[in-house]
Structures are given as C-alpha cells and as structure tokens.
Amino acid sequence: MAGSYNRVILVGNLTRDPEIKYTQSGKGVTKFSLAVNNPRNKEETTFVDIVAWDKLGETCNKYLKKGSNTLVEGRLVIRSYDDKDGNKRKATEVVIDNMQMLGSRPDGAGSGDYAGGGSSSYGGGSAPSGGGGNDFQDTLDDEIPF
C-alpha cells in the first residue's frame, strides 16, 4: 500500500494580527490568516487560516503583526463542527509546526523588542532560548545586513 504525506508550505502576508486563546488545560492556541498571492495571476489571492499551538503560537502572537511577510510550514487539517445554530460546518486550516519571519524589522522596534528578521525561524513548537543573556538576539543582529 502506498504511503501518504500531508505537508504545506506557504509564504504570504498576515491579514490581521494573531489572536491567542487558551484551552481549559492551559494550552495556548494562536490563529491568524495569510494572504497568499498566485505568482501566475497577480489578481488571484488565497486566504488561508493558520493555527499555531503552545510556544510557537505564543511566539507568533508576540512577533507577528498584520501585514507581516511570513513563511509557515505545517499540515492541512479539515475539521467538522456544529455552529451556534446547530448547522454542520467544515473548517480548513493549516496547523503549523514551523514559522519563519521574512523581511526586516518593523519601524520602531528596539533591539530587544523583535526577534524577527531575514533568517529567524521557530519550529518544533518552541521558541529559541538564549540561556541567561540575550545570545539569540546578538546572533540575530550579526546576521541582519543592516
């Protein structure tokens, strides 16, 4: 029997600021939407709902803003639910396990305020830790060519 593979990689701009909520067990879940343009047809844009859990979701909520150019990687999920009127609905979303901020720092971001940049990525559901100091930010500053 042939295997199966469910992997999605998208690059686009956030259509709104991420929104974080917490489950009853305390797990953070962040949702946002990406606008992904079709390179062959500039007038065609696909809007994709994105879901990030735990520390990755907290990182997305902290550093991403409306308009941020972002690469996300995850799996396609189609789930069914009942709306408030009892009607059956389906939701299609990408549950991510990796996120990379593209572009430059937002205006007014200080050196300790933003961990983004051209090569910043977060995956595996956790944000990078710099030990006792700000080693991650120092490394990031060395990689940014401006």
Side-chain angles (χ1 to χ4, degrees):
M1 174 176 228
S4 60
Y5 190 71
N6 181 355
R7 200 75 187 150
V8 176
I9 300 172
L10 299 168
V11 175
N13 293 10
L14 272 72
T15 62
R16 63 182 189 272
D17 288 342
E19 183 178 322
I20 192 166
K21 293 184 180 180
Y22 292 91
T23 64
Q24 290 179 346
S25 63
K27 288 182 110 179
V29 58
T30 298
K31 295 184 178 187
F32 56 94
S33 182
L34 276 185
V36 181
N37 295 322
N38 181 343
R40 294 189 183 115
N41 180 358
K42 301 289 184 195
E43 295 181 14
E44 180 184 325
T45 302
T46 302
F47 298 93
V48 183
D49 291 328
I50 309 295
V51 177
W53 287 90
D54 298 325
K55 292 202 183 276
L56 178 59
E58 291 172 7
T59 300
C60 290
N61 188 62
K62 183 174 181 180
Y63 295 112
L64 297 179
K65 302 290 178 228
K66 179 179 178 178
S68 297
N69 190 238
T70 307
L71 179 145
V72 295
E73 185 176 0
R75 61 189 169 85
L76 184 66
V77 174
I78 302 172
R79 59 182 176 84
S80 298
Y81 67 95
D82 294 331
D83 67 11
K84 62 183 176 186
D85 297 327
N87 299 315
K88 293 269 186 209
R89 299 283 185 197
K90 285 190 176 186
T92 303
E93 49 202 17
V94 175
V95 178
I96 63 171
D97 53 36
N98 193 13
M99 178 273 296
Q100 184 169 355
M101 294 175 269
L102 305 175
S104 61
R105 293 178 188 211
D107 292 338
S111 63
D113 296 334
Y114 181 69
S119 62
S120 301
S121 67
Y122 301 101
S126 64
S129 62
N134 201 1
D135 296 336
F136 175 73
Q137 186 63 44
D138 294 340
T139 302
L140 181 64
D141 288 339
D142 291 342
E143 293 178 4
I144 297 176
F146 50 87

